[in-house]
């Protein structure tokens, strides 16, 4: 069994800085998992202009006890401002083994802080660890399509 990661925290991506994300997504496989439509190698300009460009988007780094970025996610406005859609979730391999549950809790708190009452997400059906994390965090599966599960967690 892998050791559990502890002492993870969130750092809002303010001022907007994609250098840590570029470091995290250096491997083509990792970048393709996070965003299969993005160019490889990681292109900060493309991400700034195309993937993280909405004024109400909020992105965050997951940081370890030393302040080093070990993960990333964004919360996009969903159906309305009270719904956030969790996207571009990534945790580096060395920080996995408990980080998923912490990331889910931190993402929910970040969404609450943004005024959301619900979070939606899509996860690949063959990503069993992520499916288990979201189910354990209270996400309900809404449907399956094209190899993806759509999930939602409400609290409002």
């Amino acid at each position: 069994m892998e050791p559990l990661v502890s002492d993870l925290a969130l750092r809002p991506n303010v001022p907007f800085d994609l250098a840590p994300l570029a470091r995290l997504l250096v491997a083509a496989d990792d970048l393709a998992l996070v965003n299969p439509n993005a160019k490889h190698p990681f292109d900060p300009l493309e991400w700034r202009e195309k993937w993280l460009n909405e004024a109400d988007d909020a992105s965050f780094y997951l940081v370890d006890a030393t302040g080093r970025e070990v993960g990333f996610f964004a919360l996009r406005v969903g159906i309305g401002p009270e719904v956030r859609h969790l996207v571009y979730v990534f945790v580096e391999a060395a920080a996995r083994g408990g980080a998923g549950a912490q990331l889910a809790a931190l993402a929910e708190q970040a969404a609450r802080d943004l005024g959301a009452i619900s979070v939606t997400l899509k996860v690949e059906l063959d990503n069993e660890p992520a499916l288990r994390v979201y189910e354990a965090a209270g996400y309900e599966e809404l449907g399956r399509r094209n190899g993806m599960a759509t999930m939602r967690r409400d609290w409002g």
Side-chain angles (χ1 to χ4, degrees):
M1 181 169 220
E2 294 180 42
L4 290 180
V5 175
S6 61
D7 299 323
L8 295 177
L10 278 190
R11 179 177 66 77
N13 188 12
V14 178
F16 197 74
D17 177 14
L18 293 177
L21 187 58
R23 178 185 55 79
L24 289 167
L25 298 179
V26 71
D29 290 349
D30 290 340
L31 180 56
L33 283 174
V34 171
N35 185 346
N37 299 310
K39 288 188 230 170
H40 184 268
F42 183 90
D43 180 350
L45 184 60
E46 176 196 28
W47 278 75
R48 181 181 306 273
E49 292 180 352
K50 191 170 185 179
W51 308 118
L52 296 169
N53 65 338
E54 298 296 325
D56 292 330
D57 287 353
S59 57
F60 301 86
Y61 286 102
L62 189 65
V63 296
D64 66 14
T66 69
R68 188 169 93 58
E69 296 87 359
V70 298
F72 180 85
F73 68 88
L75 291 166
R76 304 199 80 178
V77 170
I79 297 164
E82 70 281 353
V83 177
R84 288 287 173 153
H85 190 65
L86 181 62
V87 293
Y88 312 132
V89 177
F90 182 77
V91 176
E92 69 181 7
R96 294 178 190 151
Q102 291 179 65
L103 185 141
L106 291 166
E108 179 180 328
Q109 187 57 55
R112 287 176 184 261
D113 292 347
L114 292 167
I117 60 171
S118 183
V119 171
T120 61
L121 61 88
K122 290 183 186 268
V123 62
E124 291 183 6
L125 292 170
D126 62 0
N127 189 345
E128 268 303 314
L131 282 167
R132 284 194 305 270
V133 162
Y134 295 127
E135 287 168 353
Y139 282 80
E140 169 190 5
E141 188 175 312
L142 301 176
R144 294 177 175 213
R145 186 173 176 190
N146 299 326
M148 303 288 282
T150 300
M151 303 180 87
R152 182 181 70 212
R153 168 126 167 77
D154 299 323
W155 55 82

